[in-house]
Amino acid sequence: QVQLVESGGGLVQAGGSLRLSCVASGRTFSRYAMGWFRQAPGKEREFVAAISWNGGSTAYADSVKGRFTISRDNAKTTVYLQMNSLQPEDTAVYYCAARFRTISTVSPQYNSWGQGAQVTVSS
């Protein structure tokens, strides 16, 4: 199993940028596909982005495509979510997650989750 700790959330103005980081513990981090999900107040958790175990494949929700970039550094056991051109509708708690090898956009398929990072975008 993998333990995940998120950081990098905060308050930004519309059009600004943030980078979320998720640091993992465990010797087999490089064998796990990673994902980012978010949940806004009163809404269901939704998929944001995912990356394969070797970084060769990525997936993005249509709502963030072209603005967000997921990446990973296996040597640092860290996955990142670079968020540019942020808008108020991006306001949510963002969670990183891990599952063994296979990339997925479906949250129930992930078995390890971070504690969440609040991202608030003002007008």
Side-chain angles (χ1 to χ4, degrees):
Q1 59 184 14
V2 180
Q3 294 183 346
L4 307 173
V5 180
E6 299 165 329
S7 63
L11 173 65
V12 298
Q13 294 183 349
S17 298
L18 284 174
R19 188 177 74 163
L20 301 180
S21 298
C22 178
V23 180
S25 63
R27 297 188 300 175
T28 59
F29 173 77
S30 63
R31 298 187 180 185
Y32 286 82
M34 303 294 297
W36 287 96
F37 297 80
R38 68 186 182 186
Q39 187 167 17
K43 295 185 177 181
E44 297 292 324
R45 182 172 55 188
E46 65 176 346
F47 167 75
V48 177
I51 188 167
S52 61
W53 67 273
N54 63 356
S57 298
T58 58
Y60 296 94
D62 288 342
S63 59
V64 306
K65 192 173 299 181
R67 299 188 298 122
F68 291 10
T69 302
I70 187 171
S71 62
R72 68 189 296 161
D73 186 339
N74 287 348
K76 297 181 179 180
T77 66
T78 302
V79 64
Y80 305 95
L81 185 68
Q82 178 67 46
M83 303 181 292
N84 298 327
S85 301
L86 284 163
Q87 301 299 316
E89 53 265 35
D90 296 315
T91 295
V93 177
Y94 285 71
Y95 300 90
C96 66
R99 72 183 303 270
F100 187 65
R101 289 199 66 187
T102 306
I103 190 171
S104 176
T105 63
V106 181
S107 59
Q109 295 185 351
Y110 289 81
N111 60 353
S112 298
W113 292 85
Q115 81 283 3
Q118 177 69 51
V119 173
T120 303
V121 185
S122 65
S123 301

